Amino acid sequence: MTPETAVVQALNGISFGALLFILAAGLSLIFGMMDVVNLAHGAFYMLGAYITLSVVQRTGQFWLALVLAPVLIGALGLLMEPLLLRRLRGRHLDQVLLTIGVSLVIADLIGLTWGREIRSVPFPAGLDHAITILGGDYPVYRLFVIAFGAALAVVLAIVHRRTRVGALIRAGVQDAPMLAALGVDIDRLFAVTFAIGAALAGLAGVIAAPVFGIYPGMDVDYLIYSLVVVVVGGLGTLSGAVAGSALIGPADTFGKVLVPQFALALIFAIMALVLLLRPTGLLGRIRIAR
Amino acid sequence: MDENNGAERRYRLTRRQFLAASSAAAAIAACGPAATPNPSGAATVEPTASPGPALKIGQLLPFTKVYAELGNSMKRATDLYLKQKGNKLANRPVTVVYEDEANDPVVGAQKTQKFIDSDRVDLMMGIVATPIAYAVRNAIDAAKLIFIETNAGGNALTRTTTNCTPSCKSKYIFRTSFSSYQISYPIGEYFATQKGVKEVFTFVADYGFGNESAADFTSGFTKGGGKITGGLKAPLGSADFLPYVTQIKAQNTKDIYSFFSGTDAINYIKAWTQLGMPAAGYKMNGAGFLTEQDVLKEVKEQANGATTSLFWAVTLDNAENKAFVDAYQKEYSLLPDVFAVQAWDGMQAVDLALQAVKGDTSNKDAFIAALESVKFKSPRGDFEFDKETHNPIQDMYIREVKVQSGQAVNTIVGKVARVTDPGK
């Protein structure tokens, strides 16, 4: 591999990692706060991509989809938490089964609504060209994904550390019953957290739609990637999601290039290694059983 | 002691039950041949004059998961064919039983067994994915069930292989689609001998079919005097194609041969144009599915200039294709695809063979002989089965994607006539 190719491949890896971060952040947030492994996360992601398809077909406005899809899917999360999840609070296996069920229903409804053909949306105007890096072309959209992922990480970090909602979420992660005892409406806080997590999955769907195609089964494909990212990075922490995606994205890319036969296995090998050395993930906390 | 007695009693009970059940079964079996057509025994008790009993066709197609749309397309073509014939083939009314193979060899095997045991179909058609076709091959052969394969293109299904691993030809299995060899070898030879291409780099999906395609292309291309300079493989369903295309750009061979389909093809073509491959002089080529309708309508002019081979194109200029495309469009208000053509030709083959035996499917060997001799004009051109392998003999078209009045279409730029699978 020439140095130029190596740089381009590094960019490929970082942009894939940035996308994985957007996808994994919501999953990690919901787990950290609510102790729920939301297996409907992939379905929310898929729904984001299909909403993008409709919005782009009707209006040609990718940026409208970038706003609309997270809002709609966030609203869906806001409904789903009190109606379904709340009844099962603390019952982990039941919650896992419920979210699997929800994901199957969403995937089938998507199939009925949008059909089961493979679809794709064009790159948004202004980001559909390539620029010259090291004498070679590089797609601008990939640079946008990197920038977007980085910006999102910063915004989430600020919300998490500096705002009241962030303080409540941090407190809730530590000890939700105590927070409730202090008079905080924990039900509302959980519903909002779940909605934000769902909206982030939808956002990832929008960002991924122009690059990775839109097709039945995409929910499961990417759910696995995002689970690997949060497990490697450490469950339930924002910095863990950043670390996990920064590791898995480039590992996937360089794996494809250097050991193509083992590219997928490589990711799981990394996961196994991390879990052997640090059972809570790279930046994970030790959870207090409750 | 008590326990032993209990066990003894239970054992006797089950044996008694077994005897009762088996005698009942024997009684049913004794009545059976009188009530239902007996395919293998002294078949003369059955009336062979038309109109006979309904012909039952089992169609095993994907209606869920990734290939659902392919199954729908093939069902549409089947239904259209039967509608045009007033739901009768060779004066026999036709019942079609549809089952979902769900892109799963285990499910496929179960549904095939259901066709054989409980539906007692006269013949079976369908199956999109090669692993499923391989998985049901032995059951079909053992049950002497005639099966018209309407998509899966794995070479082994119509070839002689040792010990039938992973599969091999059966006299009961016919194919109206293609073999991997047919869509890959001729374009290799064509590139070397007609197009004057000297070097090719391969990049294919890393699964049975992609590997077969790369190997067949390589043997055709090198036989014509070309040289393969290297190759890459991507796992089926790769999320990110940019790393691969970056690697392709880092090597010097300009002509690339690829086998991808569906989302893989779309993501590959998008990454290809994003990295500026056409401007850098790289040429995308491949087996026809790389630029079939499903892909082309999503990537549009981004596939401009790609050269692929397939036995059909929606623009193919012959009377049968025009009639087929018109009828399909009129019925469903959408363009047919290659999968619809394959299912359509499956029905045509069955129809003509049935006519040749006057609707009588009780003599299997006669029906097989009739299928072997079937010749007809298909939307793809002249169609007949290779009597040796039961794989179709058909023309391969070399197609180039061109943008005409804002639409990307596969235009035909060459033809390799009467391609047949080598069968070994």
Side-chain angles (χ1 to χ4, degrees):
Chain A
M1 206 188 307
T2 61
E4 289 82 5
T5 316
V7 172
V8 174
Q9 293 292 21
L11 279 175
N12 292 339
I14 294 168
S15 70
F16 187 52
L19 187 99
L20 290 181
F21 166 72
I22 304 169
L23 185 58
L27 190 71
S28 192
L29 175 75
I30 292 173
F31 181 83
M33 179 75 193
M34 303 167 65
D35 224 4
V36 172
V37 179
N38 176 26
L39 294 183
H41 201 71
F44 291 149
Y45 163 81
M46 184 179 181
L47 192 56
Y50 275 94
I51 291 173
T52 309
L53 176 68
S54 281
V55 171
V56 170
Q57 276 177 342
R58 301 254 162 95
T59 67
Q61 289 296 318
F62 176 80
W63 304 110
L64 181 63
L66 196 66
V67 178
L68 207 59
V71 168
L72 289 174
I73 295 163
L76 179 69
L78 211 53
L79 281 175
M80 184 180 146
E81 201 281 332
L83 286 178
L84 299 172
L85 269 176
R86 188 168 295 170
R87 296 156 194 274
L88 303 177
R89 197 169 286 166
R91 290 155 59 185
H92 294 117
L93 186 60
D94 293 349
Q95 287 171 330
V96 164
L97 290 176
L98 174 81
T99 55
I100 290 177
V102 169
S103 75
L104 293 175
V105 170
I106 292 177
D108 270 356
L109 288 176
I110 286 174
L112 286 176
T113 314
W114 279 281
R116 292 187 167 87
E117 292 162 89
I118 310 150
R119 309 309 300 265
S120 168
V121 294
F123 291 97
L127 298 179
D128 53 355
H129 60 289
I131 56 165
T132 309
I133 292 176
L134 295 167
D137 294 331
Y138 198 75
V140 178
Y141 191 81
R142 288 304 194 112
L143 300 174
F144 161 75
V145 174
I146 297 174
F148 192 92
L152 184 73
V154 170
V155 169
L156 288 179
I158 290 173
V159 171
H160 195 240
R161 304 243 167 87
R162 301 252 186 268
T163 64
R164 188 181 141 74
V165 175
L168 287 174
I169 288 178
R170 274 180 292 146
V173 168
Q174 290 299 327
D175 197 338
M178 179 58 81
L179 196 62
L182 289 172
V184 174
D185 186 346
I186 203 88
D187 284 348
R188 202 173 71 182
L189 186 64
F190 274 20
V192 168
T193 308
F194 192 79
I196 294 172
L200 283 171
L203 191 65
V206 182
I207 300 281
V211 195
F212 297 147
I214 304 168
Y215 57 97
M218 65 187 288
D219 49 345
V220 180
D221 290 358
Y222 289 89
L223 179 66
I224 292 169
Y225 268 108
S226 60
L227 285 170
V228 170
V229 165
V230 294
V231 167
V232 167
L235 280 161
T237 63
L238 183 65
S239 48
V242 173
S245 43
L247 181 63
I248 294 298
D252 184 64
T253 299
F254 282 99
K256 281 170 175 170
V257 174
L258 299 173
V259 282
Q261 308 294 314
F262 303 103
L264 260 179
L266 180 70
I267 292 174
F268 289 95
I270 290 173
M271 186 172 84
L273 189 67
V274 168
L275 290 180
L276 270 176
L277 299 175
R278 291 187 58 95
T280 54
L282 290 175
L283 299 172
R285 299 168 281 106
I286 296 167
R287 295 193 66 82
I288 302 156
R290 39 177 199 217
Chain B
M1 288 300 125
D2 253 14
E3 244 172 59
N4 275 345
N5 281 342
E8 174 87 355
R9 205 176 301 132
R10 271 201 299 280
Y11 170 70
R12 271 206 216 107
L13 269 176
T14 48
R15 193 167 59 176
R16 211 171 288 149
Q17 280 169 343
F18 170 72
L19 284 172
S22 53
S23 49
I28 291 165
C31 302
T36 52
N38 184 351
S40 51
T44 41
V45 282
E46 274 303 302
T48 51
S50 314
L55 179 82
K56 213 170 190 183
I57 302 177
Q59 286 261 10
L60 187 58
L61 295 171
F63 294 114
T64 52
K65 298 204 189 157
V66 57
Y67 292 134
E69 244 341 274
L70 277 61
N72 286 332
S73 175
M74 293 162 92
K75 179 176 187 296
R76 284 193 282 263
T78 308
D79 291 345
L80 178 64
Y81 191 89
L82 287 173
K83 192 180 168 190
Q84 286 191 359
K85 300 285 169 169
N87 217 34
K88 271 186 181 178
L89 298 182
N91 211 19
R92 273 179 81 174
V94 178
T95 331
V96 185
V97 185
Y98 287 101
E99 283 291 347
D100 183 8
E101 45 128 290
N103 195 29
D104 183 339
V106 176
V107 175
Q110 288 165 349
K111 298 290 171 70
T112 301
Q113 211 56 50
K114 174 182 171 283
F115 281 155
I116 295 168
D117 296 337
S118 53
D119 294 329
R120 295 169 152 254
V121 297
D122 295 292
L123 54 106
M124 177 172 151
M125 301 174 76
I127 302 194
V128 161
T130 295
I132 304 176
Y134 285 176
V136 303
R137 182 262 167 209
N138 286 348
I140 285 169
D141 190 64
K144 301 182 174 168
L145 176 67
I146 289 169
F147 171 48
I148 317 279
E149 171 56 69
T150 53
N151 185 65
N155 281 337
L157 192 64
T158 55
R159 288 191 182 183
T160 314
T161 59
T162 44
N163 301 328
C164 284
T165 38
S167 178
C168 63
K169 70 182 177 191
S170 153
K171 74 172 188 174
Y172 302 101
I173 297 177
F174 289 79
R175 178 148 61 190
T176 60
S177 50
F178 58 92
S179 70
S180 174
Y181 171 92
Q182 286 183 304
I183 58 168
S184 316
Y185 182 92
I187 188 176
E189 211 171 34
Y190 178 90
F191 267 37
T193 57
Q194 309 282 310
K195 226 182 158 193
V197 176
K198 298 271 179 286
E199 295 186 335
V200 167
F201 185 87
T202 63
F203 175 40
V204 296
D206 193 8
Y207 75 119
F209 203 80
N211 290 326
E212 271 186 2
S213 180
D216 289 330
F217 176 85
T218 300
S219 64
F221 187 61
T222 49
K223 186 169 167 263
K227 183 170 166 258
I228 300 290
T229 57
L232 265 182
K233 288 172 185 180
L236 193 62
S238 276
D240 193 357
F241 270 83
L242 216 49
Y244 297 112
V245 181
T246 305
Q247 284 310 103
I248 293 171
K249 210 179 175 185
Q251 58 82 46
N252 293 319
T253 305
K254 298 291 181 188
D255 267 286
I256 315 299
Y257 175 82
S258 293
F259 178 91
F260 288 103
S261 61
T263 37
D264 280 353
I266 291 176
N267 291 349
Y268 172 38
I269 292 169
K270 283 183 131 184
W272 178 273
T273 47
Q274 283 278 297
L275 268 186
M277 300 294 276
Y282 290 87
K283 293 190 189 74
M284 179 186 280
N285 311 289
F289 298 99
L290 187 63
T291 59
E292 247 321 282
Q293 290 306 117
D294 58 331
V295 177
L296 211 52
K297 77 178 171 35
E298 298 300 321
V299 299
K300 303 196 175 75
E301 72 285 347
Q302 292 188 69
N304 199 5
T307 304
T308 60
S309 68
L310 203 64
F311 46 88
W312 179 78
V314 74
T315 53
L316 199 59
D317 190 15
N318 67 51
E320 290 73 27
N321 194 39
K322 281 206 181 79
F324 170 68
V325 173
D326 284 350
Y328 192 95
Q329 254 189 316
K330 206 170 166 189
E331 183 78 15
Y332 302 113
S333 349
L334 50 94
L335 279 176
D337 51 24
V338 68
F339 310 107
V341 175
Q342 293 167 175
W344 179 266
D345 284 348
M347 291 305 290
Q348 280 204 81
V350 168
D351 189 4
L352 293 172
L354 266 180
Q355 286 175 30
V357 295
K358 300 189 168 50
D360 176 18
T361 46
S362 57
N363 185 340
K364 283 255 157 106
D365 288 332
F367 191 52
I368 289 169
L371 270 170
E372 280 176 344
S373 316
V374 154
K375 277 184 195 177
F376 58 91
K377 297 261 183 208
S378 146
R380 71 180 92 177
D382 292 322
F383 185 103
E384 65 180 287
F385 289 111
D386 183 332
K387 285 190 173 62
E388 183 63 29
T389 62
H390 291 181
N391 200 63
I393 301 174
Q394 54 189 334
D395 298 341
M396 280 298 139
Y397 303 98
I398 310 294
R399 319 169 313 164
E400 192 181 321
V401 178
K402 286 184 181 155
V403 178
Q404 292 172 346
S405 57
Q407 271 208 311
V409 284
N410 284 305
T411 55
I412 288 159
V413 295
K415 180 170 125 175
V416 184
R418 287 181 62 82
V419 178
T420 184
D421 193 275
K424 292 191 267 291

